[in-house]
Amino acid sequence: MKKFILLSSSILLFFISCSSENDTPQEEELTACFEMSNTTVEVGEEIQISNCSVGAVSYEFTFDNKKSNEKNPLISFENAGTQNISLKVTSESGKTSLKTKSVIVNAIEDSYVYKPDILEGDTTSPINFGYNGSSFYYIENYNNVNSSNQKYNYIEIDLTNKNFTSKYISEKEYNSSNAFLTTLDNNDKLFYAVRSLSDRIGLTEVKLNSNWVVQSDTNSQTRVLYGSLQNNNDYLFYGSYRIISTNDPNYSLYKSPSIEIRNSAGEITERKTFYEIEQGFIGDLIKNEDGFIAFGGMTSPTGFSTFENYRPLIIFLNSNYEYINHIVYDNTEISTTNNNDLNGSYHIKKLSNNNIVLYSHNELRIINSVGTEILKEAFSTTQSNIQSLISLDNEGFILSTHDYLKKYDVNGTLIKSIKFGGAITPNLILKDSQIYFVSGYDTQFTNNIRTFAVRKTFIRSVNPDLKINNLN
């Protein structure tokens, strides 16, 4: 009996001894740690964070006045300079650890090619951008601050030598924010600049030969053209046509959507005017399997240059450019009331899932193939109307807003956004797996007399994932 008691006591003492050793508090290990994919980047360029923290159950990254609770976030900076990335980690018991690293963020000027400085106070704006088969070009709206000299130039860009060659096209006769150039099969060129008003239209039409010699220069008060689309041997110039009635003076206010059908020499062979839509116009046009889809708008005139009740619209046409039907979208957030603000702001693209993207005046709308709205998103109304859109087929689409490029999937979900610093971006062009664009941005020029507000122009490129390509 005693042996049993002694043995039990020994076992009891053993367990007590073991329990005491295990209950000794162990120091908790917690270390904030992260690595960066790059320590020198440009504004808008992404940095992949790789987390190497120990003992953490939650994470908080702070950077560029933003926060992320992801373990391995993808981050970018909107401002140049030496910037900090801080990681605060927390353990299960609530203990915290902090780690901060620095990254050098280069200004956007370091990665783009920009046009040389203009004269003090002069303003240039890119209002159309294209590729002519050998080089990029843009149409420049040039305003001289010290005189009434306002004109349009054709600016050809040599990216290899960083040269900008200017060719004069036309005087700027109207307060217009839109102009475009179409090169015909014989290399002749048709240039158009337009002013839109309620009761009249100011259209400049300049025809130039292959050597840029002006062949004709005419004006019209009944036609407005916003762009062109080549369809086999036809060139389709779209916009609106002003209806003039001697019986009803007020009827001259109405402009109906219209398409001028031209041959390879640029001569009008037929006009299609869609009188089913009063006071409407076509701003962009695409071809689909059954015909064409036009994107534009309708207004209700209130004065010489103003209107109310703006509504976006699409028009379905058959393969012979004949009217089928149209759809008006009354739920718009576009609030412009000046006719001239309608110039050069329309983009329509088809996606790989047969959805269609409409973009104008900083309002994005996705519709299905019959025009039913799927999604609508409005950006700031204080931004420039001259923005751009490009379809990437299965990868979705990219659009520009003031300062930003945004990439969406085919369903309209935002994938990525980068800040690139441009305010006016008329077009995006995909070439050699890179997306090129020209953009204007507002800045200042200071001399020994005063400070001038000026607008400069640059060309830049990104890949389809919005990774910035340094053109220098």
Side-chain angles (χ1 to χ4, degrees):
M1 188 68 176
K2 284 184 178 180
K3 290 181 180 179
F4 176 78
I5 293 172
L6 289 173
L7 181 61
S8 298
S9 299
S10 298
I11 294 172
L12 180 61
L13 289 171
F14 172 76
F15 278 114
I16 291 172
S17 175
C18 291
S19 178
S20 298
E21 290 178 0
N22 291 339
D23 285 347
T24 301
Q26 299 293 319
E27 185 175 350
E28 186 178 41
E29 185 178 5
L30 178 67
T31 305
C33 173
F34 66 94
E35 300 295 335
M36 301 178 292
S37 60
N38 203 342
T39 57
T40 301
V41 295
E42 298 175 5
V43 168
E45 184 177 1
E46 291 184 326
I47 302 172
Q48 177 65 64
I49 300 295
S50 298
N51 204 315
C52 49
S53 300
V54 176
V57 295
S58 65
Y59 313 90
E60 182 182 84
F61 285 92
T62 303
F63 58 96
D64 205 32
N65 296 318
K66 294 176 283 190
K67 292 183 183 296
S68 172
N69 296 116
E70 295 181 31
K71 185 177 180 179
N72 300 294
L74 200 61
I75 68 174
S76 62
F77 290 85
E78 296 184 1
N79 300 291
T82 300
Q83 306 285 358
N84 290 330
I85 303 173
S86 295
L87 168 62
K88 181 174 124 176
V89 298
T90 305
S91 69
E92 191 170 0
S93 66
K95 185 179 177 181
T96 61
S97 177
L98 183 68
K99 181 69 175 180
T100 299
K101 291 187 175 184
S102 295
V103 59
I104 298 173
V105 183
N106 294 322
I108 58 172
E109 289 87 348
D110 297 337
S111 66
Y112 64 55
V113 176
Y114 58 95
K115 188 184 178 188
D117 289 343
I118 57 178
L119 298 176
E120 300 174 3
D122 290 358
T123 298
T124 67
S125 295
I127 53 178
N128 214 296
F129 177 55
Y131 186 75
N132 62 16
S134 60
S135 60
F136 291 102
Y137 73 89
Y138 67 93
I139 304 300
E140 175 187 73
N141 182 351
Y142 181 93
N143 295 328
N144 186 301
V145 70
N146 295 317
S147 72
S148 59
N149 181 20
Q150 301 182 35
K151 58 186 178 181
Y152 296 104
N153 295 320
Y154 175 93
I155 311 294
E156 193 166 88
I157 306 168
D158 178 359
L159 282 177
T160 302
N161 299 304
K162 311 298 186 292
N163 288 333
F164 290 72
T165 303
S166 178
K167 294 184 176 69
Y168 168 79
I169 298 177
S170 170
E171 293 298 305
K172 182 181 177 184
E173 300 182 30
Y174 308 108
N175 180 24
S176 169
S177 61
N178 180 52
F180 69 96
L181 184 79
T182 298
T183 301
L184 303 172
D185 292 351
N186 60 2
N187 212 29
D188 284 354
K189 297 163 180 64
L190 295 175
F191 171 79
Y192 295 92
V194 63
R195 175 183 67 168
S196 297
L197 297 173
S198 292
D199 66 344
R200 70 201 61 172
I201 301 165
L203 176 73
T204 296
E205 177 182 302
V206 180
K207 185 172 183 178
L208 308 103
N209 66 16
S210 58
N211 295 317
W212 291 89
V213 177
V214 175
Q215 305 298 295
S216 62
D217 187 345
T218 59
N219 294 311
S220 171
Q221 291 192 357
T222 58
R223 302 155 55 218
V224 57
L225 298 176
Y226 290 125
S228 68
L229 173 69
Q230 187 170 5
N231 179 42
N232 300 323
N233 295 323
D234 290 338
Y235 285 87
L236 310 179
F237 286 75
Y238 48 80
S240 66
Y241 188 70
R242 177 185 168 210
I243 305 166
I244 300 177
S245 172
T246 56
N247 298 324
D248 182 359
N250 292 326
Y251 199 70
S252 65
L253 292 175
Y254 292 114
K255 303 188 294 286
S256 287
S258 181
I259 293 177
E260 294 178 359
I261 304 166
R262 302 187 179 214
N263 59 23
S264 60
E267 300 163 334
I268 298 178
T269 59
E270 187 179 2
R271 181 189 306 281
K272 299 285 188 179
T273 301
F274 310 114
Y275 298 109
E276 297 86 351
I277 306 168
E278 293 183 345
Q279 197 58 26
F281 58 91
I282 297 172
D284 199 7
L285 182 70
I286 60 170
K287 185 176 182 179
N288 64 2
E289 295 83 358
D290 303 320
F292 300 85
I293 306 176
F295 173 41
M298 298 177 64
T299 63
S300 301
T302 58
F304 177 74
S305 62
T306 60
F307 60 83
E308 62 183 9
N309 194 27
Y310 170 81
R311 293 146 292 160
L313 76 99
I314 59 169
I315 309 169
F316 291 94
L317 308 173
N318 65 20
S319 57
N320 294 318
Y321 321 126
E322 296 168 337
Y323 173 87
I324 298 175
N325 69 296
H326 72 277
I327 298 174
V328 179
Y329 299 96
D330 293 316
N331 61 337
T332 183
E333 297 180 45
I334 299 173
S335 59
T336 182
T337 59
N338 188 306
N339 276 276
N340 215 41
D341 290 341
L342 302 176
N343 294 345
S345 305
Y346 293 83
H347 299 276
I348 177 172
K349 303 291 183 184
K350 189 173 181 180
L351 302 175
S352 59
N353 62 354
N354 290 323
N355 285 343
I356 297 164
V357 184
L358 310 176
Y359 186 43
S360 76
H361 300 81
N362 304 294
E363 184 175 83
L364 167 68
R365 182 177 275 103
I366 297 180
I367 60 176
N368 63 17
S369 59
V370 296
T372 304
E373 183 180 292
I374 298 172
L375 176 148
K376 182 175 75 70
E377 181 179 358
F379 307 109
S380 170
T381 56
T382 60
Q383 300 167 353
S384 166
N385 287 335
I386 301 179
Q387 299 298 345
S388 51
L389 171 72
I390 188 171
S391 172
L392 302 175
D393 296 326
N394 292 328
E395 294 187 45
F397 60 94
I398 293 174
L399 59 80
S400 70
T401 68
H402 189 103
D403 275 344
Y404 289 88
L405 292 177
K406 298 175 182 288
K407 181 177 181 178
Y408 295 80
D409 66 18
V410 293
N411 298 310
T413 301
L414 180 64
I415 299 173
K416 185 178 178 182
S417 176
I418 65 167
K419 184 175 182 179
F420 74 100
I424 297 175
T425 311
N427 203 8
L428 300 172
I429 295 177
L430 180 63
K431 185 180 184 300
D432 299 331
S433 301
Q434 292 288 319
I435 299 167
Y436 291 83
F437 54 93
V438 159
S439 189
Y441 68 102
D442 295 320
T443 184
Q444 293 181 333
F445 176 88
T446 302
N447 61 11
N448 58 356
I449 301 176
R450 62 187 177 97
T451 297
F452 299 87
V454 298
R455 181 174 291 148
K456 291 188 175 183
T457 300
F458 65 85
I459 181 170
R460 199 175 189 186
S461 72
V462 296
N463 71 9
D465 291 322
L466 297 188
K467 182 175 175 56
I468 296 164
N469 177 32
N470 192 333
L471 295 180
N472 290 306

